[in-house]
Amino acid sequence: MKGSEPAGQERPCHTIGVLTGGGDCPGLNAVIRAVVKTARKFGYQVIGVRNGWKGLVEGDVEPLTDFGVAGILVRGGTILGTSRTNPLKDEDAVQRLLANLARFGIDALVAIGGDDTLTVAGRLHEMGVRVVGVPKTIDNDLSGTDVTFGFDTAVATVTDAIDRLHTTAESHHRIMVLEVMGRHAGWIATTAGIAGGADEILIPEVPFEIDVVCEGLRARRNRGKTFSIVVVAEGARPKEASGFVTSSGKKDEFGHEQLGGIGHLVGAAIESRLGAETRVTVLGHVQRGGSPTARDRVLATRFGVKAVEEIHAGNFGTMVALKGDKIETVPLARAITQKTVDMDLYEMARIFF
Ligand code: F6P
């Protein structure tokens, strides 16, 4: 779609706003840097919005210059800060957000985020805001793009953790349970599990029976293997559970439950059923931190460049996406649906259990 205004009445773009929303992930700074550098090429100014949608509601912004983004390519996190603020919860917040866009002369917006941030971006586009989305999430659960940046770095971190758990598991003849991120989709668990040679992988897409899991581990022990590695995505659940297994009971502004707890449940069940010494590691936010891998730096850079090129071309309401080797765009509405694990990949992983 060419802009959100009637044909022939497009406003020229002078200033681009950029924000990062939702959970952080490695590569956000690489996108911000690419936005600033590509904007310079076209003669646009860039305004950085602090802390996601919250910064637009509160008018918390800062100009971003070449100088300001120097050296950030390799840095994890986001120099802009982030939040899980949902402006759509409150009509007054939406009005303040729209007023601040006008106040700071932001003609077009690059919104970098996952499903929540991009859902808000899609709604704002329907209200006439000129926005282009950039997909991020370590969980890799956004459809519309082959992969999100941040995922590769998270997989590398988890694979390293599995490698480390392997040596100590083998020495002590223990079962190691590793809980990793992955709310609705087990991409991290499956991919890192394959890379690290996991002996069991539990993911949200396939509710499990603990007795069947233990049978598999017992069979492995009977084959002479004195240790096992079990990778559990935080959103995995036993067949009989009606919802997520969590220990905190807290929710965020978008109504998402704070996950964490399934690893300990699985570990305790294995220990009691198999009588094997079991230890549980919850990797948590280590997976979201640190410097992006080379692959994530390149993908994030390509996304940032493409987002500004789209603004320059007057294409809004889209999300940049990786399709094969090419960076393309998809309508925001299509991008926001969930992408779950390819069952062929998961079935292949089971060959090694
Ligand atoms: O970024 C997505 C995600 O990693 C989910 O897998 C996880 O449930 C969530 O973020 C946790 O985020 P936070 O603790 O920052 O709310």
Side-chain angles (χ1 to χ4, degrees):
M1 181 171 135
K2 181 95 174 158
S4 47
E5 50 273 90
Q9 295 177 31
E10 292 96 350
R11 289 176 284 124
C13 178
H14 301 292
T15 303
I16 295 173
V18 57
L19 62 82
T20 52
D24 71 337
C25 86
L28 287 169
N29 285 326
V31 182
I32 296 167
R33 170 179 173 269
V35 166
V36 171
K37 302 236 177 217
T38 313
R40 180 191 59 185
K41 174 182 146 191
F42 291 121
Y44 303 142
Q45 296 182 45
V46 179
I47 289 183
V49 178
R50 291 200 188 91
N51 304 320
W53 298 117
K54 185 169 188 265
L56 265 190
V57 173
E58 296 178 352
D60 190 3
V61 303
E62 61 178 308
L64 282 180
T65 61
D66 247 25
F67 186 71
V69 298
I72 68 170
L73 173 65
V74 305
R75 274 171 61 186
T78 161
I79 59 163
L80 293 174
T82 187
S83 74
R84 293 194 191 272
T85 298
N86 179 3
L88 301 180
K89 278 176 81 178
D90 172 4
E91 181 50 37
D92 182 53
V94 173
Q95 290 312 318
R96 278 189 285 152
L97 183 154
L98 295 174
N100 280 326
L101 283 174
R103 176 175 157 215
F104 297 113
I106 296 175
D107 305 303
L109 201 55
V110 176
I112 313 167
D115 51 355
D116 295 329
T117 304
L118 298 181
T119 300
V120 174
R123 284 285 300 115
L124 291 175
H125 175 249
E126 285 163 17
M127 294 176 202
V129 177
R130 306 201 299 185
V131 59
V132 174
V134 176
K136 73 84 225 179
T137 163
I138 64 164
D139 290 356
N140 193 36
D141 59 355
L142 279 183
S143 62
T145 183
D146 289 357
V147 72
T148 53
F149 70 85
F151 173 62
D152 188 64
T153 308
V155 167
T157 302
V158 174
T159 302
D160 179 60
I162 297 174
D163 291 349
R164 289 167 191 273
L165 288 173
H166 248 123
T167 59
T168 174
E170 201 166 2
S171 307
H172 286 266
H173 316 292
R174 283 174 173 158
I175 295 177
M176 294 293 191
V177 175
L178 176 65
E179 181 183 297
V180 302
M181 283 188 174
R183 174 174 292 270
H184 301 292
W187 285 105
I188 295 177
T190 304
T191 312
I194 292 169
D199 306 302
E200 181 64 66
I201 301 170
L202 305 178
I203 60 174
E205 293 88 336
V206 186
F208 61 88
E209 286 175 69
I210 194 67
D211 288 331
V212 175
V213 171
C214 288
E215 250 168 54
L217 296 174
R218 195 177 289 115
R220 186 177 143 79
R221 190 166 64 185
N222 292 343
R223 291 198 302 271
K225 309 283 186 175
T226 62
F227 72 95
S228 289
I229 306 286
V230 179
V231 179
V232 189
E234 61 184 0
R237 66 184 78 173
K239 268 191 176 156
E240 64 277 11
S242 55
F244 290 123
V245 176
T246 66
S247 46
S248 88
K250 292 184 193 158
K251 285 190 179 176
D252 70 16
E253 273 204 28
F254 286 87
H256 304 311
E257 289 168 87
Q258 193 178 84
L259 299 188
I262 185 65
H264 282 286
L265 186 126
V266 167
I270 290 173
E271 190 160 67
S272 72
R273 282 169 170 76
L274 291 187
E277 228 191 326
T278 304
R279 294 287 188 272
V280 178
T281 302
V282 179
L283 209 48
H285 294 77
V286 168
Q287 293 160 92
R288 287 222 311 244
S291 182
T293 58
R295 183 184 284 262
D296 274 340
R297 291 180 202 183
V298 173
L299 181 60
T301 297
R302 293 176 77 195
F303 278 172
V305 170
K306 181 71 170 174
V308 177
E309 285 174 352
E310 284 299 292
I311 288 173
H312 186 64
N315 297 330
F316 306 110
T318 56
M319 182 190 87
V320 299
L322 181 70
K323 296 279 181 188
D325 289 338
K326 298 269 177 266
I327 306 294
E328 298 179 0
T329 56
V330 291
L332 267 173
R334 232 194 76 206
I336 297 161
T337 55
Q338 243 158 47
K339 184 180 69 181
T340 51
V341 167
D342 175 354
M343 281 302 126
D344 289 343
L345 184 70
Y346 186 67
E347 283 307 315
M348 192 211 77
R350 297 175 64 84
I351 294 172
F352 303 93
F353 291 177

